[in-house]
Amino acid sequence: MNYVYILRCNDETLYTGYTNNLKNRIKVHNNGKGAKYTRCRLPVRVVYYEEYETKSEAMKREYAIKRFRRIDKIKLFEGFKVEEMLLK
């Protein structure tokens, strides 16, 4: 499975990315080995994600979400419940 995700950084900024292992990718970000953008904004927490069958679909959606305004990203994940397994 492939995922598009939105993180809320410690400074309240938002980061959007994609991966094929969401739980591991969150750990990588929080260990300071993820994207350069998140390294100085730790810790991060996942606030939203979507699942896709193919990497191509996930990358297209990531690109689309990255073009959203901040308010539109917030509307996207408002009320979204992140699974407990991702929080541990």
Side-chain angles (χ1 to χ4, degrees):
M1 196 57 64
N2 296 276
Y3 302 88
V4 174
Y5 59 91
I6 299 176
L7 303 177
R8 184 181 299 270
C9 300
N10 191 40
D11 64 358
E12 298 299 315
T13 59
L14 302 174
Y15 173 83
T16 304
Y18 80 92
T19 185
N20 63 1
N21 186 333
L22 186 55
K23 187 174 180 178
N24 184 61
R25 186 65 178 154
I26 303 309
K27 287 180 186 177
V28 169
H29 277 293
N30 277 320
N31 286 333
K33 305 286 187 200
K36 186 176 180 181
Y37 182 85
T38 61
R39 288 182 197 156
C40 61
R41 294 170 169 86
L42 299 176
V44 298
R45 62 187 168 90
V46 63
V47 293
Y48 182 78
Y49 66 92
E50 298 174 359
E51 297 179 347
Y52 291 91
E53 289 292 323
T54 68
K55 180 179 177 180
S56 176
E57 290 172 314
M59 290 176 71
K60 286 176 187 173
R61 180 62 170 158
E62 176 200 23
Y63 178 75
I65 292 173
K66 283 185 172 187
R67 297 184 67 191
F68 285 10
R69 295 175 304 158
R70 178 181 171 82
I71 189 70
D72 296 325
K73 291 178 187 179
I74 291 170
K75 287 178 184 175
L76 184 64
F77 66 76
E78 226 170 27
F80 184 81
K81 301 289 186 213
V82 175
E83 292 181 34
E84 285 295 316
M85 67 137 203
L86 294 175
L87 302 176
K88 295 178 181 181

